[in-house]
Amino acid sequence: METNAPVSLAVAWDWMEETARSADAAVRGTGSWVPPVAEELVLAARASALSRWYPFTSHNHLRFVDGPAFSMPGAQDDGNELPGSISFDTGGPESGPVFRVWSGLLLRKPDPVLALATPNAVEAVGALVGLLPAHVTDRRT
């Protein structure tokens, strides 16, 4: 097998699910500000129009690019990142999980804009899909 061959989209999503499952297991019961909801979010995103993008996590955000993410074999530095992401945390001391939907690119100017905060992963994914132009999430393109 060629080590520099690009990772397929299906393999990238499978890997993201496994990574999310492992991350959830690592924080479950620890009282971390990062709640064990990464797998829930990844599964919701994979079941949506976001599934045509390569997923990756960065800075506690689920983000998407149009080719293998920078850490995967076959990645290219000139990929296009989806102009939106979903972060997740506990929302403060003693609070439950909160998914935050951001419009714009993380760590770039102008700063991303908070579009929605919700405890529901499916609602957060739907909101992100709704923020994007149709051609970005259209499965036929």
Side-chain angles (χ1 to χ4, degrees), residues 17-112:
E17 283 183 29
E18 180 58 35
T19 300
R21 192 174 304 113
S22 294
D24 286 351
V27 298
R28 195 169 278 115
T30 66
S32 171
W33 65 275
V34 179
V37 295
E39 183 179 21
E40 175 185 355
L41 179 58
V42 169
L43 292 173
R46 190 173 192 177
S48 78
L50 297 172
S51 66
R52 70 176 287 228
W53 290 79
Y54 284 78
F56 71 103
T57 54
S58 173
H59 298 87
N60 215 51
H61 284 67
L62 180 59
R63 299 163 67 181
F64 305 90
V65 290
D66 63 356
F70 60 89
S71 61
M72 297 179 176
Q76 298 178 356
D77 291 336
D78 61 349
N80 295 305
E81 187 176 344
L82 189 72
S85 62
I86 303 172
S87 65
F88 51 98
D89 59 53
T90 58
E94 307 301 320
S95 296
V98 175
F99 299 97
R100 289 182 174 84
V101 180
W102 299 91
S103 177
L105 295 170
L106 183 64
L107 302 174
R108 307 229 182 87
K109 295 292 181 189
D111 290 336

